[in-house]
Amino acid sequence: MGKPRIMDKLKITGGKELNGEVIISGAKNAALPILAGSILSSAPVTLNNIPQLNDVATMLTLLQSMGAEVIFDEKMDLRLNAKEIEKYFAPYDLVKTMRASILVLGPLLSRFGRAEVSLPGGCAIGARPVNLHVKGLRAMGAKISIKNGYIYATAKKLQGTNYRFDEVSVTGTENIMMAAVLAKGKTVITNAAMEPEVKDLAQFLKSMGANIEGEGTSQIVVDGVDRLRETNYRIMPDRIESGTYLIAAAITGGKILLKKTAPQYLKTVISKLQLSGANIKCGDDWISLDMHNKKLKAVDFETSPYPGFPTDMQAQFCALNSISSGSARMKETIFENRFQHVIELHRMGADIEIKGNIATSKGVRRLTAAPVMATDLRASAGLIIAALAAHGDTIIDRIYHIDRGYERIEEKLQQLGAHISRETS
Ligand code: EPZ
């Protein structure tokens, strides 16, 4: 984790089969809300399996700027102490680099009754509004005004309420659930996000004494408590990193074993990969994939909230379909602008047509290397996957996007036999 190096590029020589084992890191989208949730407790918190990612570094910088103590021990376990937090401010220059900073809003309001958090603003994949977060906090009695790009929120004491999300929102559900932990009375959240990362956050909060039921279903019930105790908690494995490596092996016709992963959270991706011709076996914490030299078949999919096909796997599967035989219909229902990677895949020879929120691919025999540009985190993963199978040397620009969400990606891919290197200019 370090300062994102804006000019870094990745160079990938395609055509090498990926074979071998890879250890999956802790989930970025569980670590970020759990780090924000540590604000709720004045007792020390120890977290294991924290992924070493730029987004995690940004969240830790934000917590430290508020006064939290942050120490990595020799085992890379993270010791956090939010006892001394005395600032409730999340500045634009931090929030604009990592939208998930909005997750400090609920915990700050719940424990301290005040918060001043920059609006995250949009990103490449969409406008990314936070109106449903604000609406829920207002329903709990928070006084919220939005001006000059900031959310100014105060609350004498948040009150439990019944809140139904107009649209399923992962971080929206997480923010309201965290706000409810120290609120007065009961909060019932309906149309809640059921993502495993929401469940992991709830289990972290319960390990500190929070009173939560129903996590992982569309109805979450929280009974407010007065304070939380210390905890030692292990972050769940990253299901999107897992899916990304499975597809990287599949597109190169290889054989891979993922370790320290959680197959139960990847069911839709695994079943789609089996339809594409991959032979997949699963154990408690491992997944193996073997293409057995079978030809890839194109597979239709439609993204939807969990347990549906994850939008965060759309770009990766799109790359796979681009060289799979036949045609595939790929529908993106979550974000309004999440096909940016397709424009770059066209440069590599992909035959994909976009009409509204549907991309239709016609498999080509082979992609060819080209200079391409990463536009967002998962689009970058899609381009890396395409480059691994393309003929020639692909140069991917703006790879600071990839460093936000994939721990040591070149190293893990090199260990699997990929010809990949980082060029720092
Ligand atoms: C989370 O983003 C993830 N980020 C995203 O992963 C993921 O793509 C997304 O959930 C969907 O699964 C983290 O968990 C840190 P949403 P989030 O609120 O919570 C609309 C990655 O690559 N909406 O579930 O921001 C929104 O515009 C990232 O790791 C509102 O209209 O997504 C979208 O269309 C990318 N108003 C839909 O809901 C709101 O107040 C779902 O968004 C909130 C959301």
Side-chain angles (χ1 to χ4, degrees):
M1 296 194 293
K3 272 259 159 272
R5 298 190 301 245
I6 301 296
M7 303 306 283
D8 278 9
K9 300 178 196 293
L10 279 180
K11 179 181 169 191
I12 297 171
T13 305
K16 311 279 177 302
E17 259 188 34
L18 294 197
N19 291 302
E21 297 185 0
V22 62
I23 291 182
I24 296 302
S25 303
K28 168 179 85 82
N29 290 349
L32 295 176
I34 285 172
L35 288 171
S38 64
I39 291 172
L40 288 163
S41 170
S42 53
V45 162
T46 303
L47 298 173
N48 351 106
N49 204 32
I50 283 271
Q52 303 300 306
L53 300 169
N54 287 349
D55 271 10
V56 167
T58 304
M59 181 62 91
L60 292 175
T61 303
L62 176 56
L63 294 175
Q64 282 173 309
S65 73
M66 292 177 184
E69 202 183 279
V70 170
I71 303 166
F72 275 104
D73 70 17
E74 66 294 339
K75 287 183 291 151
M76 287 312 281
D77 285 344
L78 180 63
R79 295 179 192 290
L80 270 161
N81 195 326
K83 185 179 170 60
E84 306 302 327
I85 282 187
E86 82 270 306
K87 282 206 202 96
Y88 317 111
F89 175 55
Y92 178 57
D93 66 338
L94 269 180
V95 176
K96 74 178 182 228
T97 63
M98 207 256 313
R99 303 187 58 269
S101 311
I102 190 71
L103 285 163
V104 302
L105 181 60
L108 285 173
L109 263 183
S110 197
R111 181 167 163 219
F112 300 105
R114 39 188 297 217
E116 198 178 304
V117 177
S118 166
L119 280 169
C123 71
I125 65 177
R128 313 294 295 278
V130 290
N131 58 312
L132 302 178
H133 300 231
V134 170
K135 190 175 166 188
L137 293 169
R138 280 180 172 145
M140 297 177 77
K143 298 270 172 288
I144 298 183
S145 61
I146 296 178
K147 53 182 187 297
N148 319 321
Y150 276 81
I151 299 169
Y152 297 90
T154 56
K156 253 203 284 316
K157 176 79 176 164
L158 288 180
Q159 304 298 316
T161 185
N162 294 334
Y163 181 62
R164 175 175 180 73
F165 272 90
D166 304 335
E167 184 171 353
V168 172
S169 166
V170 174
T171 50
T173 301
E174 291 165 346
N175 238 336
I176 302 306
M177 181 167 72
M178 290 191 282
V181 164
L182 298 179
K184 189 167 172 6
K186 176 188 284 207
T187 298
V188 181
I189 306 169
T190 45
N191 201 22
M194 301 189 272
E195 269 66 7
E197 295 76 21
V198 175
K199 193 169 163 183
D200 207 35
L201 170 64
Q203 288 169 350
F204 161 71
L205 295 168
K206 288 163 82 167
S207 76
M208 293 195 287
N211 206 326
I212 302 173
E213 297 299 329
E215 65 272 16
T217 75
S218 61
Q219 174 161 312
I220 298 174
V221 181
V222 185
D223 277 308
V225 295
D226 293 335
R227 75 180 53 75
L228 297 174
R229 58 175 182 268
E230 68 179 86
T231 187
N232 187 324
Y233 191 78
R234 181 176 178 79
I235 307 285
M236 68 175 279
D238 195 314
R239 62 192 168 102
I240 305 300
E241 184 194 22
S242 301
T244 303
Y245 282 104
L246 288 176
I247 293 183
I251 202 170
T252 59
K255 181 176 174 187
I256 194 170
L257 173 65
L258 305 188
K259 299 168 95 168
K260 294 192 180 174
T261 185
Q264 66 273 29
Y265 297 136
L266 263 174
K267 286 187 180 143
T268 47
V269 172
I270 287 171
S271 59
K272 291 292 180 185
L273 278 170
Q274 287 167 327
L275 287 175
S276 73
N279 181 300
I280 296 180
K281 292 192 181 67
C282 300
D284 286 349
D285 65 350
W286 60 267
I287 305 173
S288 71
L289 175 144
D290 190 343
M291 283 310 294
H292 289 309
N293 296 321
K294 279 173 77 177
K295 217 167 155 17
L296 283 164
K297 286 194 294 298
V299 178
D300 296 343
F301 64 83
E302 177 169 331
T303 66
S304 63
Y306 194 86
F309 187 92
T311 175
D312 290 350
M313 285 301 304
Q314 181 257 102
Q316 299 91 315
F317 221 106
C318 190
L320 184 69
N321 275 336
S322 73
I323 62 160
S324 299
S325 60
S327 173
R329 182 178 179 277
M330 302 170 277
K331 188 170 182 186
E332 171 57 58
T333 70
I334 309 286
F335 291 111
E336 66 268 29
N337 189 34
R338 202 169 198 176
F339 284 130
Q340 307 250 2
H341 47 283
V342 172
I343 301 156
E344 300 303 305
L345 291 173
H346 285 156
R347 297 172 49 77
M348 300 174 76
D351 177 357
I352 305 172
E353 192 187 359
I354 299 175
K355 274 213 182 81
N357 66 345
I358 294 172
T360 305
S361 62
K362 284 196 182 63
V364 294
R365 208 180 59 72
R366 190 144 202 212
L367 296 175
T368 47
V372 290
M373 184 179 77
T375 50
D376 60 87
L377 170 56
R378 306 303 174 183
S380 325
L383 295 177
I384 286 178
I385 284 167
L388 288 168
H391 184 70
D393 295 347
T394 298
I395 304 288
I396 305 178
D397 202 351
R398 301 196 184 182
I399 54 150
Y400 55 86
H401 291 291
I402 199 91
D403 294 329
R404 298 185 46 185
Y406 288 91
E407 187 176 28
R408 293 181 295 111
I409 188 160
E410 305 103 276
E411 207 179 301
K412 292 190 179 186
L413 285 173
Q414 282 159 359
Q415 278 165 4
L416 292 167
H419 277 210
I420 178 171
S421 58
R422 181 182 290 255
E423 324 222 318
T424 50
S425 35

